[in-house]
Amino acid sequence: MNIAVCIKQVPTRDWQPRVNDGGTWIRDRDVTFETNEPDAYALEEALRLKEKHGGSVVACSVGPERVAQVLREALARGADRAIHVEHASVEASDAFVIAGALAAAVRDERFDLVLTGLQSDDQGFAQTGVVLAERLGFAHATIIMEVQIESSTVRVKRELEGGWFQWVAMPLPAVLTIQSGINHLRYATLKGIMAAKKKEIRKVAMPAGLAARQHIVRLYAPQKVKRTELITGSPAEAAKTLVTRLRETARVI
Amino acid sequence: MILVVAEQRGGTLNRASWETIAAAQHIPGGVPIVVAVLGGSGGATTAAAQLAAAAVHEVVAVEHPSLEPYTADGFTAALQSLIGQLNPTSVLFPHTYQTRDFVPKLAARLDRALLTDVTGTKPSDDGALVFVRPMFQGKLTADVRPQGPAPHLVTFQIGSYRPDAAARGSSPAPVKTVAATLDGASVRQRPDQPYQEARQAVDLSQAERIVSVGRGIKGQEHLSVAQALADALKAELAASRPICDAGWLPMERQVGSSGQTVAPKLYVALGISGAIQHLVGMKGSNVIVAINKDPDAPIFEVADYGIVGDLFEVVPALVKALNE
Ligand SMILES: Cc1cc2nc3c(=O)[nH]c(=O)nc-3n(C[C@H](O)[C@H](O)[C@H](O)COP(=O)(O)OP(=O)(O)OC[C@H]3O[C@@H](n4cnc5c(N)ncnc54)[C@H](O)[C@@H]3O)c2cc1C
């Protein structure tokens, strides 16, 4: 079972959004980055499948030089090697460009399974994995909460709306987009971090001729419609005021 | 022409289909709207009869045995050929679990732009449409333009338009049933029946008051802070998804698009940012209180009362005030 896991580097969750002077993208220099959360679950799932069925796990990412950091973390957690499609100005790219770059990077490796997160916490397209499947000619399924390999077939538990699920079977090779919470994440051990130093991160160039299919005209803070009554004061004062509002104005307690 | 793709299960349309029709009608220029609905024999036709009430040019039921149950391969092939025949300028879908599963494949197959999770449209200076969508988990908003030739594919976020905003026609729109062009053997996914996990012990939809915790609670050991407030309010304890993913609370207490939909008299959100998938599960609550240390957290957009502050200071103070 040879598995590729696609990982995106995104701003950390507590990042305070800042837009660049042109209002077209975020101000990158203020940002600290981390692995996109569903991608971390995708990596964990790949590692578990490898432990069960043997094979290898290859972490892949598209982005500028800093992206090597999330690939090193993936290697420390147990991935065998990594592929970095390096390009300086690709972070605002759309899913077609990213999926095109990933397809070119993994196509010749004949993976049985390609895992991605179901969407990224930055642009949130929820497209990359599915577009990648089409580019590779693989079957796919999305929003996956369990994976079972049965020789040349994969059976997956798809999450549906409102607490519903559905099992779907399909032939390998396949692309699966993984939902957060599918498993419990492991942390990198010191041994893993040491071992990662000897593992390969292969750099490949961005393929030519990938056309973006969308363009950000303007990026801005959401317009507030604000109907919230913000209650100020010390915690004790604010608490008292809120209780009065809930008892006397809203009458819900 | 604008093509809207509605979504049905067993002949029943979801609300999001009507929302998408409203979105299409909202696009200026009076472009004719055609609504398509896909399914096996029966389901699509039943749904099409309901869709005929909308003020649209035509409704097309696209039927094939391989379209029931839904598969990504089947829907992609059927819509690829329908789009080839109708030649629309744009194709609009609701942003649902189902469209997330196949529309990116369809867009890749056609090599056409796909804008997802769109909340609105507006004309720009040159007259071309600009699409508005959230980015960075709702912390920022982007005006986006599709690139490349038509048709452009767009999915609309649930709740961006009201389903009852879809204008009804003075007489029913014409309905046409067509057989999909599709080779059943090319469908690789073999789905089982959808199911719900074992019957839930707590039915949050019946709760009068709910105290809901998010990642701001930081650790399972701090849940007692929220429980104390729930006790003081005689409320049920609920949570955002990451809390249930981590196993700190059982999944049956999760509120949101993949959990329960609730509408209590009082919903208190503690350390919840207010992601759209959480909001759709609770924004029907009568009174919403948000306690969050980030004044820009999207949860404040739906809250009636808000306290910007550290929940570990505010919540104990609230418990004290309630018990006085
Ligand atoms: C297909 C899909 C389905 C999903 N379904 C659901 C669903 O059903 N339900 C759901 O909830 N989510 C769902 N999600 C996840 C959703 O997108 C968000 O990731 C999630 O709701 C975030 O949870 P949160 O608000 O608890 O965490 P975060 O977004 O991390 O927010 C934590 C908040 O806590 C605040 N905070 C931190 N410390 C403190 C403190 N000391 N005092 C006060 N405030 C503090 C922060 O300011 C922040 O606003 C789904 C996602 C996808 C893609």
Side-chain angles (χ1 to χ4, degrees):
Chain A
M1 183 73 11
N2 292 321
I3 308 173
V5 183
C6 303
I7 293 175
K8 193 172 197 185
Q9 192 189 38
V10 298
T12 50
R13 245 190 312 276
D14 52 9
W15 165 68
Q16 290 296 316
R18 289 264 174 72
V19 173
N20 67 12
D21 291 339
T24 51
W25 189 240
I26 59 171
R27 236 168 63 177
D28 251 13
R29 63 188 141 101
D30 305 330
V31 186
T32 50
F33 292 93
E34 65 185 6
T35 298
N36 182 46
E37 186 172 53
D39 304 356
Y41 284 97
L43 173 65
E44 178 64 43
E45 197 59 25
L47 295 171
R48 288 176 188 220
L49 289 170
K50 179 191 154 181
E51 280 158 13
K52 209 161 163 193
H53 303 281
S56 67
V57 173
V58 180
C60 310
S61 190
V62 183
E65 202 182 341
R66 58 172 162 76
V67 163
Q69 178 57 30
V70 292
L71 290 175
R72 267 193 297 274
E73 281 167 27
L75 295 174
R77 279 172 56 199
D80 298 284
R81 58 191 171 85
I83 302 174
H84 180 181
V85 185
E86 193 178 342
H87 196 275
S89 57
V90 75
E91 62 266 31
S93 293
D94 73 354
F96 274 49
V97 171
I98 302 289
L102 288 169
V106 307
R107 180 169 283 125
D108 294 336
E109 299 228 18
R110 307 199 169 279
F111 287 109
D112 303 297
L113 205 55
V114 178
L115 305 186
T116 72
L118 83 172
Q119 66 184 53
S120 62
D121 287 349
D122 54 1
Q123 302 209 63
F125 293 126
Q127 297 183 31
T128 304
V130 182
V131 174
L132 177 59
E134 176 67 14
R135 294 288 179 249
L136 293 172
F138 289 9
H140 82 273
T142 54
I143 319 191
I144 299 307
M145 286 297 280
E146 201 174 325
V147 182
Q148 296 175 352
I149 307 287
E150 291 160 3
S151 65
S152 62
T153 306
V154 58
R155 251 171 67 79
V156 295
K157 181 178 164 187
R158 274 188 74 206
E159 179 181 299
L160 306 176
E161 278 108 343
W164 287 76
F165 297 93
Q166 178 180 41
W167 283 91
V168 182
M170 74 203 79
L172 294 172
V175 176
L176 306 175
T177 81
I178 301 296
Q179 168 69 301
S180 293
I182 183 176
N183 48 41
H184 288 286
L185 301 178
R186 74 188 69 189
Y187 293 98
T189 59
L190 189 60
K191 200 168 141 235
I193 294 168
M194 298 310 287
K197 296 199 165 131
K198 297 198 198 72
K199 292 177 179 170
E200 176 203 21
I201 300 184
R202 183 161 64 87
K203 288 197 182 183
V204 299
M206 192 79 183
L210 294 173
R213 287 290 180 208
Q214 53 190 292
H215 168 67
I216 301 171
V217 187
R218 202 164 75 85
L219 192 63
Y220 49 94
Q223 275 136 6
K224 301 247 174 218
V225 204
K226 265 253 184 335
R227 52 184 194 100
T228 311
E229 178 182 340
L230 281 183
I231 297 171
T232 52
S234 70
E237 289 159 4
K240 269 213 179 85
T241 312
L242 177 61
V243 170
T244 312
R245 290 286 188 286
L246 295 180
R247 280 205 177 116
E248 287 162 22
T249 314
R251 294 170 183 271
V252 286
I253 55 173
Chain B
M1 184 204 66
I2 297 173
L3 178 64
V4 171
V5 181
E7 195 172 308
Q8 60 91 20
R9 193 164 295 159
T12 308
L13 290 159
N14 58 12
R15 287 160 54 94
S17 297
W18 293 102
E19 294 174 16
T20 311
I21 292 171
Q25 291 172 339
H26 188 78
I27 292 174
V31 189
I33 298 166
V34 173
V35 186
V37 59
L38 281 63
S41 60
T45 308
T46 310
Q50 298 159 42
L51 289 165
V56 297
H57 183 71
E58 188 179 32
V59 178
V60 185
V62 181
E63 295 195 340
H64 193 285
S66 295
L67 292 176
E68 182 67 56
Y70 160 82
T71 59
D73 284 347
F75 270 50
T76 302
L79 276 167
Q80 182 186 8
S81 83
L82 185 74
I83 289 169
Q85 285 161 31
L86 297 179
N87 203 18
T89 51
S90 42
V91 189
L92 314 186
F93 306 82
H95 190 65
T96 62
Y97 274 58
Q98 184 163 302
T99 61
R100 291 171 59 115
D101 194 55
F102 79 91
V103 178
K105 181 180 176 68
L106 176 65
R109 175 86 52 90
L110 298 168
D111 206 13
R112 292 296 181 268
L114 167 59
L115 309 183
T116 43
D117 209 18
V118 165
T119 55
T121 55
K122 54 189 188 192
S124 66
D125 300 340
D126 63 5
L129 268 191
V130 166
F131 296 86
V132 183
R133 63 184 301 274
M135 280 199 191
F136 298 95
Q137 302 256 49
K139 286 178 179 161
L140 293 172
T141 306
D143 290 348
V144 184
R145 272 190 188 200
Q147 305 285 295
H152 300 137
L153 283 59
V154 183
T155 70
F156 283 90
Q157 185 179 96
I158 307 285
S160 302
Y161 292 82
R162 295 171 52 90
D164 54 19
R168 306 301 203 256
S170 49
S171 58
V175 177
K176 186 167 83 183
T177 299
V178 300
T181 324
L182 156 68
D183 172 13
S186 69
V187 176
R188 292 167 291 185
Q189 295 90 357
R190 290 185 305 284
D192 294 351
Q193 282 298 321
Y195 67 96
Q196 259 183 316
E197 228 109 88
R199 200 85 211 106
Q200 303 181 319
V202 273
D203 183 4
L204 292 177
S205 67
Q206 299 304 316
E208 287 212 348
R209 284 176 288 271
I210 291 176
V211 169
S212 197
V213 288
R215 192 135 50 183
I217 199 79
K218 297 211 166 60
Q220 188 169 23
E221 66 277 17
H222 302 308
L223 279 178
S224 54
V225 174
Q227 186 64 59
L229 180 60
D231 292 344
L233 286 169
K234 296 192 186 59
E236 285 284 352
L237 197 58
S240 68
R241 175 164 187 136
I243 303 306
C244 303
D245 281 349
W248 299 349
L249 281 175
M251 199 198 143
E252 59 193 24
R253 293 197 180 263
Q254 179 183 316
V255 169
S257 59
S258 51
Q260 298 207 39
T261 300
V262 299
K265 285 203 305 202
L266 174 65
Y267 189 92
V268 184
L270 306 178
I272 293 178
S273 62
I276 178 65
Q277 294 88 359
H278 188 79
L279 298 186
V280 296
M282 47 65 78
K283 67 182 179 190
S285 305
N286 199 359
V287 172
I288 297 170
V289 174
I291 299 171
N292 196 305
K293 66 173 187 192
D294 175 8
D296 295 321
I299 190 75
F300 286 121
E301 273 301 294
V302 299
D304 300 281
Y305 300 105
I307 297 179
V308 177
D310 184 343
L311 75 89
F312 294 106
E313 292 175 10
V314 176
V315 174
L318 254 180
V319 173
K320 192 158 167 266
L322 283 164
N323 291 335
E324 260 164 22

